[in-house]
Amino acid sequence: MQLSGKVCVVTGASSGIGRRTAIDLAAEGAIVCAVARRRERLESLLDECHGSGHSYLVTDVSRRGQVKALAVHVDRTYGRCDVLVNNAGSSGEHIPFGDPSAVAEVESLMATNFLGAVYCTAELLPLLARSAPSNVVNVGSVAGRIPMSGASAYSASKFAIVGWSEALHYELAGRGICVSTIEPGLIPTEGFPQSDLKNDPLLRHVLGSEEQVSEAIRKAITARKIGRTVPRWYYMVQLPRLLTPPIYRFALRKVTAKYGRQRGLS
């Protein structure tokens, strides 16, 4: 599938991975509909996009009514949707469970990180089916395979995305819609600045980049791939969980205990 002339809806496009992806898609000739909550960021983004026909719509993907309005905008403006990139998400505050506000954080992150993708896919599904062969790319996380200590709400939302996306891939394949999951590892973004790692002369080499994630998203679209981790070698991090569960669980207990002591939780 070539990107030139394809209508691509990108959520969470005001910064980070979403912004980089929107710019790169436009550079390859795609027509981008950028979606986020910050109008001024979206206006600035469109100024950076090559080509014409691009648009934006201020949308909170956790609110289904606003997502319905997005689908109406895409239908009226383009009459089709070839690609949906569900990238909108929040990192949350990593509140330990048991804190009075922990349940509220779970609800908030599930609403944005998971239900936001569900709403966008559901509301744009008629256009995606009409435009088939088409693509849905869900941006998950390595935290959707390996739980992040101290970030149970975030991990839950990303595990949900991974499981739902894989099931949906097979469910929608017969309609010509390819559902892919991109699972970034440690990527410096506005929500995850990774300041400590960036300043470490050794550990900074484990970081990926927004450009790498954008490239993986575009490759998933053009090659209709079911998924990929970014950087690629992060896939190896999952192997202990699959091949040697006792060792994996022992290491995770150690990391969790260390994290708890740092946070004063134990």
Side-chain angles (χ1 to χ4, degrees), residues 60 147 171 191 227 243 248 252:
D60 181 345
E171 185 175 333
L243 302 178
Y248 159 79
L252 193 61

Side-chain angles (χ1 to χ4, degrees), residues 1-256:
M1 177 181 176
Q2 298 300 312
L3 290 168
S4 182
K6 300 299 182 182
V7 174
C8 302
V9 176
V10 182
T11 72
S14 61
S15 65
I17 291 168
R19 185 180 185 87
R20 182 73 264 161
T21 300
I23 291 171
D24 291 343
L25 286 169
E28 294 198 26
I31 301 168
V32 173
C33 175
V35 178
R37 293 178 298 177
R38 294 176 286 188
R39 182 182 302 275
E40 69 284 354
R41 293 283 191 96
L42 293 173
E43 291 173 347
S44 171
L45 168 64
L46 258 59
D47 290 339
E48 295 186 45
C49 287
H50 296 284
S52 59
H54 309 303
S55 68
Y56 73 83
L57 192 70
V58 176
T59 306
D60 181 345
V61 298
S62 71
R63 299 180 178 275
R64 192 168 186 182
Q66 294 189 27
V67 176
K68 287 178 181 289
L70 169 64
V72 170
H73 167 80
V74 175
D75 192 11
R76 288 178 177 173
T77 306
Y78 305 110
R80 62 185 298 115
C81 179
D82 301 286
V83 176
L84 167 62
V85 179
N86 284 313
N87 168 73
S90 171
S91 59
E93 299 180 28
H94 294 193
I95 297 171
F97 205 75
D99 185 282
S101 57
V103 172
E105 183 178 53
V106 174
E107 293 172 337
S108 174
L109 290 186
M110 290 297 289
T112 300
N113 296 358
F114 176 57
L115 289 178
V118 172
Y119 295 156
C120 288
T121 305
E123 298 302 333
L124 289 168
L125 189 59
L127 285 173
L128 288 161
R130 187 193 307 170
S131 309
S134 53
N135 296 75
V136 175
V137 181
N138 295 324
V139 179
S141 171
V142 170
R145 302 283 185 179
I146 300 173
M148 289 176 58
S149 174
S152 57
Y154 181 80
S155 293
S157 68
K158 293 303 183 179
F159 265 79
I161 275 286
V162 168
W164 177 69
S165 298
E166 289 191 3
L168 201 62
H169 173 85
Y170 299 104
E171 185 175 333
L172 297 182
R175 302 177 67 177
I177 303 171
C178 177
V179 179
S180 308
T181 313
I182 303 300
E183 299 169 30
L186 296 169
I187 312 291
T189 63
E190 186 175 298
F192 284 108
Q194 310 292 0
S195 302
D196 291 343
L197 293 179
K198 283 195 293 186
N199 295 328
D200 188 293
L202 181 61
L203 293 179
R204 66 186 181 187
H205 297 294
V206 308
L207 297 174
S209 68
E210 295 170 357
E211 290 77 12
Q212 288 176 314
V213 182
S214 171
E215 181 183 9
I217 290 171
R218 287 177 283 124
K219 185 66 173 179
I221 296 167
T222 56
R224 296 178 72 78
K225 291 182 174 293
I226 190 170
R228 230 193 78 184
T229 55
V230 184
R232 281 183 181 274
W233 65 266
Y234 268 61
Y235 179 77
M236 302 295 292
V237 178
Q238 303 177 34
L239 294 183
R241 183 174 192 237
L242 300 173
L243 302 178
T244 56
I247 295 175
Y248 159 79
R249 291 170 185 145
F250 173 79
L252 193 61
R253 280 197 300 270
K254 291 293 186 182
V255 171
T256 301

